[in-house]
Amino acid sequence: MIKANVEQYWGAALQGLAYWIAYKQQYFDGHLLPEGAIVAELAQLLAVHIPDTKKVECERLYKDREFLVDTNIRADIVISDKPEKNDDYHELIQKIPGSYWKEIVEVKRYEQTFKNIEKDSEKLIKLYSDSQDHHLYQVVVGQGKLPDELFTGD
């Protein structure tokens, strides 16, 4: 088993996400949350818990990071270092697109086909092999279901 160095804010954000999903499941019984709503809620929870030196962004193009440059595929959530106060944020990202990315998050709802989850996993593995200066996360959310393909039952 690989043990990752996960920042503390992830625990609080994921716990909040689990609570929020359970609440929505009870409130809107029988209706699945759209993946975009899950991404937005996780991004808000991360933004609340991250240090002031970091920034959360949603739906950033991978080609901004000079990865998958021939497509318009987007990362669900990107956590980056904020530039110094005297640096203009937009000027900085124009000079070195995507170089400030520190954590990349892909979110998938389990009720979708498992093929989509595998596709995101392959994308993250490719990104890691191209550049190992990121922390990469895949968050798989199941509403009332356990993703059997991800657990061995032990």
Side-chain angles (χ1 to χ4, degrees):
M1 175 185 232
I2 299 172
K3 190 157 186 163
N5 180 17
V6 180
E7 300 285 350
Q8 273 190 324
Y9 51 81
W10 273 99
L14 291 174
Q15 183 178 16
L17 184 66
Y19 174 81
W20 180 79
I21 289 170
Y23 167 75
K24 292 294 185 180
Q25 186 173 347
Q26 291 299 313
Y27 197 69
F28 300 108
D29 190 28
H31 297 280
L32 298 176
L33 291 166
E35 187 176 302
I38 296 167
V39 169
E41 185 65 22
L42 180 58
Q44 288 178 7
L45 290 164
L46 285 166
V48 167
H49 294 289
I50 63 171
D52 292 338
T53 58
K54 294 185 182 257
K55 175 183 177 100
V56 175
E57 300 174 279
C58 290
E59 299 298 328
R60 291 302 311 256
L61 288 170
Y62 273 110
K63 65 183 174 185
D64 288 349
R65 184 59 183 110
E66 298 172 3
F67 173 73
L68 298 172
V69 293
D70 57 338
T71 67
N72 285 326
I73 298 174
R74 299 171 183 266
D76 290 330
I77 299 172
V78 172
I79 300 173
S80 58
D81 288 335
K82 281 186 183 174
E84 295 296 322
K85 288 190 187 255
N86 43 351
D87 289 338
D88 180 23
Y89 178 74
H90 295 290
E91 188 177 308
L92 177 69
I93 64 172
Q94 293 303 322
K95 286 182 192 171
I96 319 166
S99 63
Y100 58 96
W101 292 17
K102 297 301 175 201
E103 298 176 59
I104 300 171
V105 184
E106 288 293 338
V107 177
K108 278 289 175 249
R109 198 179 73 215
Y110 174 64
E111 287 76 12
Q112 294 175 339
T113 66
F114 196 73
K115 214 175 251 186
N116 289 340
I117 295 169
E118 288 176 321
K119 200 177 347 176
D120 270 3
S121 295
E122 290 166 5
K123 183 173 35 176
L124 290 172
I125 289 167
K126 169 90 170 91
L127 180 59
Y128 183 75
S129 65
D130 287 351
S131 172
Q132 298 182 6
D133 60 344
H134 302 94
H135 290 262
L136 307 172
Y137 303 99
Q138 185 172 25
V139 178
V140 178
V141 175
Q143 286 182 250
K145 291 185 178 180
L146 194 64
D148 296 331
E149 294 90 344
L150 299 176
F151 295 96
T152 60
D154 295 338

